[in-house]
Amino acid sequence: MDWRDWELFCEVVQHGGFSAAARVLGHPKSSLSAAVQRLESNLGLRLIERTTRHLRLTDAGQTIYQRVRPLFTALHDTHGEALAMSSAIAGTLRIKAPYEFGAHHAGPVACELMGRYPDLVIRIDVEHEFVSPVAENYDIVFAMLEAPLPSTGIVIRRVSSLERGLFAAPALLERLGEPRTLEDLAKFPLLIGPSDTPWALTTPAGVSEQLAVSNARLVSSNADIRLQAALAGHGVLRVTASYTKVAVAAGLLRRLLPDHVCEPLNVHALLPARQFVPAKVRCFLDAMEAQERGGAAAQIEA
């Protein structure tokens, strides 16, 4: 069934004839006549009585027009609303992010955009474990991907590469001494996440080495809990610069092995689909990219 024939029949009736409808729609009069003839043939009903000067609906034509025309009007209204939704930065933006990234990167962007767009509502759920944006109904899932995801149709975009460092409280260093090498650091208790693999560091000579994470005093997916343990002198914390900036400035944490380079924290945005990305999602990712460019020159303080 060609629903376009139904719509063209309604247009002919609405505009009072084939010629008037043809002028409004920019279609040949013959194509409108053919569409109505096909519809009549498919239905086995006469819908329009034609004369040289007038158009008159049959009883069947009048009944069908009255029932079908509101449906096409509603369809066009819905189409217009959908286009408006795709271009308007409004509604609810649902985001999932690990605590460390959500609090110090996604959070500030959310506050900026809420100030700029009063009709935008943002929900940020904090969770370290990977979740599917499709299955869990998120617009954006921020994740640190250590391994490729299986082919699930999810779109993956890298949004941030954040410098990390190793930090400990002065009290811990007074007790165990200042580590000078990875061998020294291996004797220290560590504060790790549940999915942490051996910590990769590059030495001043450019050699990549790994620190085993088996000597863990605390395991938690919550970066704030790990930070609290570090401040209390319970172990060594690997974390991003922004997360420790205040504590370092106050002398509560110190950078360890400052001449070694930690593997960066690579954050990716997982999106439900590549096409028809809502404006609110594009706006948030653009703001994240601007934040990344603005913070690219920031370095971890010793």
Side-chain angles (χ1 to χ4, degrees):
M1 184 177 294
D2 190 346
W3 289 105
R4 180 60 173 162
D5 289 348
W6 291 73
E7 185 175 20
L8 291 177
F9 160 70
C10 291
E11 294 287 351
V12 169
V13 177
Q14 180 182 1
H15 294 292
F18 291 96
S19 298
R23 287 193 298 270
V24 172
L25 299 176
H27 292 342
K29 179 180 175 181
S30 59
S31 68
L32 300 182
S33 179
V36 173
Q37 289 176 7
R38 280 195 304 270
L39 180 60
E40 291 177 326
S41 178
N42 288 333
L43 297 176
L45 293 171
R46 188 74 169 173
L47 302 177
I48 296 177
E49 295 291 353
R50 303 164 179 82
T51 67
T52 55
R53 300 188 61 176
H54 299 286
L55 175 150
R56 185 181 69 82
L57 286 174
T58 65
D59 290 343
Q62 183 68 35
T63 298
I64 288 176
Y65 174 75
Q66 289 177 346
R67 293 183 178 179
V68 172
R69 181 64 195 177
L71 301 180
F72 282 108
T73 299
L75 180 62
H76 284 289
D77 289 345
T78 302
H79 177 252
E81 291 171 2
L83 291 177
M85 284 189 289
S86 70
S87 60
I89 301 175
T92 300
L93 178 62
R94 298 171 179 85
I95 298 172
K96 198 284 297 186
Y99 183 90
E100 179 183 347
F101 183 80
H104 288 265
H105 297 275
V109 171
C111 291
E112 175 194 345
L113 294 186
M114 286 189 295
R116 196 186 308 170
Y117 303 105
D119 295 328
L120 179 64
V121 175
I122 298 180
R123 168 180 170 174
I124 301 180
D125 293 332
V126 175
E127 185 177 345
H128 189 77
E129 299 299 324
F130 164 76
V131 299
S132 166
V134 177
E136 302 294 333
N137 194 30
Y138 284 107
D139 297 300
I140 310 172
V141 170
F142 291 109
M144 288 85 77
L145 302 180
E146 302 293 341
L149 285 174
S151 179
T152 58
I154 296 172
V155 179
I156 305 174
R157 298 182 183 177
R158 191 184 73 80
V159 294
S160 292
S161 182
L162 306 174
E163 186 180 358
R164 290 189 284 195
L166 304 176
F167 298 88
L172 181 67
L173 301 180
E174 290 173 6
R175 190 167 72 248
L176 300 179
E178 183 86 23
R180 303 298 179 187
T181 64
L182 280 184
E183 288 75 15
D184 295 338
L185 192 60
K187 302 172 185 176
F188 280 64
L190 304 180
L191 312 171
I192 70 171
S195 60
D196 278 14
T197 56
W199 294 352
L201 295 98
T202 302
T203 69
V207 178
S208 180
E209 297 184 355
Q210 292 188 333
L211 177 68
V213 294
S214 55
N215 188 23
R217 183 74 191 281
L218 172 72
V219 179
S220 175
S221 61
N222 190 309
D224 190 58
I225 293 176
R226 300 198 302 272
L227 176 60
Q228 293 176 39
L231 292 170
H234 294 308
V236 175
L237 175 70
R238 182 185 65 166
V239 76
T240 57
S242 62
Y243 209 72
T244 58
K245 185 175 181 179
V246 174
V248 169
L252 301 177
L253 289 177
R254 282 165 51 186
R255 171 83 181 273
L256 306 183
L257 302 179
D259 55 352
H260 287 61
V261 178
C262 276
E263 182 180 27
L265 177 63
N266 293 315
V267 181
H268 296 76
L270 313 184
L271 308 178
R274 186 181 305 276
Q275 294 182 315
F276 311 120
V277 177
K280 59 188 178 183
V281 173
R282 296 195 303 269
C283 180
F284 197 94
L285 294 178
D286 288 345
M288 289 293 308
E289 182 179 351
Q291 181 195 67
E292 171 80 355
R293 289 196 304 267
Q299 301 294 322
I300 293 181
E301 298 183 21

